Amino acid sequence: MCAKVFFSSILLAILSSSCTKYDNDYVTIPNEKIDLGRAIFFDTNLSNPVGQSCASCHSPEKGFSDPTNRAISQGAVANAFGNRNAPSLSYGVFSPKQYYNAIDQTYIGGFFLDGRSNSLENQFIHPLLNTVEMNNNSIHDVVEKIKAASYFQKIKSIYGAIVSDSEIINAVADAVSVYEKSSEVSSFTSKFDYYSKQLVDFTADEQKGLLLFSGKAKCANCHILDADENTGKVLFTDFSYDNIGVPKNNNNPFYTQPTSVNALGTSYIDYGIGAINGHNVDRGKFKVPTLRNIAITGPYFHNGVFATLKQVIHFYNTRDLQTGEFAPPEVSENINIEESGNLNLTLDEEAQLEKFLLTLTDHYRK
């Protein structure tokens, strides 16, 4: 279950003041580190074979998600695919270290959709060594590429006399994490942000969608409208974990990977955080993502099973009505039936909710 947040008001008079509190430099970081982190993030020489960078699966044009909206991104090796959709890196970088909320009985925070990493720096290292992602054989191989990069002198000038492989890779991971926390990656420039500062107005449908989001549709139970205590901004996630009964994506290319990658073939089931902590009660649960940039980061859910935002909203609304529109859930236990599945939204209300979600896309212009 998502962590619960209760509102004294669902409109944004309070939010507008909290959103403007940190308008300038919500994360204070040196520009030289941002520049270095950016250079590493876009470096296509760090994969094996060369040709793939972090940005290959996390493109700025798509809210730092897959540049061509693939359900599953291809790795550096041709026809190599992992099991999950590449999530947006924007805003999710503000996730706290993982802890257990005993009151709401859910884990909070961590990185990756299953929370298996507890820091941005550690998260950066995983894809470098994953055979279906950047496919390097060892950290040493990565470090050798870094030493040959044009930015290596900048690394030494910022981080000092680092020599060992661990020192160098830690410096690189730190620089990338700094870039990921910068306003270039998480800009807070959506129409919602300007609306919350009373700089623009919402249309009637957008306003109705916000009311639905906060109330009848129950979205704000998990995609919260409270300002984050560290950034002073609304992140549209409580970083909790939930199983909302997502169907299996039968077109997931992971099912056809070699047995060395996927020994179970089409019988594979993704248990999310439950596979990490071994708790049956957490099977099928994935970290609640931010809804910022949701309109441009499809397809949706951990396996990319739904192509459009309209489908996602309809699924949340009608999942439990036995309409025949949706396949059975991939993991049928632990499904959240309190906040999704039978919301009694009309089709007009579904459309209004979508209109509001479209206001969460960055780089809004009148």
Side-chain angles (χ1 to χ4, degrees):
M1 249 358 110
C2 295
K4 304 299 188 295
V5 178
F6 299 93
F7 301 95
S8 58
S9 170
I10 58 175
L11 293 178
L12 299 180
I14 295 175
L15 277 179
S16 63
S17 61
S18 62
C19 283
T20 56
K21 184 177 180 182
Y22 298 90
D23 278 348
N24 298 316
D25 250 349
Y26 59 88
V27 178
T28 303
I29 40 185
N31 286 334
E32 62 179 2
K33 275 195 178 183
I34 295 174
D35 292 342
L36 174 60
R38 182 192 304 110
I40 299 166
F41 191 87
F42 286 89
D43 188 353
T44 58
N45 291 317
L46 298 185
S47 64
N48 176 35
V50 299
Q52 185 172 65
S53 67
C54 301
S56 297
C57 299
H58 301 283
S59 168
E61 290 74 23
K62 295 293 183 177
F64 289 83
S65 65
D66 188 276
T68 57
N69 297 100
R70 295 169 291 188
I72 309 295
S73 303
Q74 182 174 245
V77 176
N79 299 314
F81 295 91
N83 58 335
R84 293 182 186 154
N85 179 259
S88 169
L89 291 186
S90 299
Y91 305 103
V93 298
F94 300 115
S95 180
K97 289 186 176 181
Q98 192 178 100
Y99 66 94
Y100 185 71
N101 183 327
I103 296 175
D104 295 313
Q105 298 182 324
T106 179
Y107 285 91
I108 305 290
F111 295 89
F112 292 111
L113 292 173
D114 56 17
R116 66 185 182 273
S117 176
N118 214 18
S119 71
L120 272 178
E121 293 81 3
N122 182 263
Q123 181 189 44
F124 164 76
I125 294 172
H126 283 254
L128 293 171
L129 303 180
N130 192 322
T131 57
V132 295
E133 294 185 73
M134 299 180 79
N135 192 45
N136 289 289
N137 293 318
S138 67
I139 288 295
H140 178 74
D141 288 351
V142 177
V143 168
E144 290 302 303
K145 295 176 182 180
I146 291 166
K147 287 179 178 179
S150 59
Y151 51 76
F152 185 55
Q153 289 302 317
K154 177 63 70 175
I155 292 175
K156 291 194 293 184
S157 70
I158 293 174
Y159 292 95
I162 53 175
V163 177
S164 69
D165 287 357
S166 62
E167 289 173 329
I168 293 172
I169 201 65
N170 287 342
V172 167
D174 178 73
V176 172
S177 73
V178 166
Y179 170 66
E180 290 180 332
K181 292 176 182 175
S182 74
S183 59
E184 184 173 322
V185 178
S186 302
S187 65
F188 296 99
T189 54
S190 69
K191 185 176 184 180
F192 169 84
D193 294 299
Y194 296 122
Y195 168 78
S196 66
K197 291 184 279 191
Q198 302 178 11
L199 297 175
V200 299
D201 294 324
F202 273 173
T203 66
D205 279 344
E206 290 166 348
Q207 186 71 44
K208 289 175 182 177
L210 171 58
L211 288 169
L212 290 165
F213 186 94
S214 307
K216 184 178 179 181
K218 303 181 180 180
C219 307
N221 285 9
C222 303
H223 301 284
I224 60 176
L225 285 167
D226 280 0
D228 173 65
E229 63 180 13
N230 293 316
T231 64
K233 307 288 187 176
V234 181
L235 298 180
F236 286 95
T237 174
D238 61 3
F239 300 108
S240 64
Y241 291 78
D242 220 356
N243 178 9
I244 58 167
V246 175
K248 201 169 187 176
N249 182 358
N250 291 321
N251 295 318
N252 189 336
F254 182 69
Y255 297 141
T256 60
Q257 290 296 289
T259 55
S260 58
V261 174
N262 175 19
L264 297 178
T266 57
S267 298
Y268 171 80
I269 296 176
D270 195 338
Y271 286 115
I273 190 175
I276 302 301
N277 64 25
H279 300 162
N280 289 345
V281 71
D282 290 323
R283 283 186 170 186
K285 294 183 179 181
F286 295 88
K287 190 170 66 172
V288 174
T290 178
L291 293 183
R292 285 182 174 273
N293 290 314
I294 193 68
I296 60 173
T297 55
Y300 301 99
F301 298 123
H302 67 277
N303 55 12
V305 65
F306 292 134
T308 69
L309 194 52
K310 188 182 300 292
Q311 289 174 306
V312 170
I313 294 170
H314 191 60
F315 173 75
Y316 269 100
N317 185 29
T318 65
R319 181 198 65 207
D320 298 340
L321 301 184
Q322 307 301 318
T323 63
E325 297 172 85
F326 307 112
E330 182 175 9
V331 180
S332 59
E333 53 198 302
N334 311 314
I335 294 176
N336 184 342
I337 60 174
E338 295 178 6
E339 297 162 317
S340 60
N342 184 11
L343 299 175
N344 295 306
L345 301 176
T346 67
L347 291 180
D348 283 345
E349 288 174 329
E350 286 187 11
Q352 289 163 353
L353 185 56
E354 183 178 11
K355 289 288 188 182
F356 169 67
L357 293 176
L358 296 180
T359 71
L360 304 184
T361 304
D362 281 335
H363 311 302
Y364 170 73
R365 297 291 182 270
K366 288 187 181 182

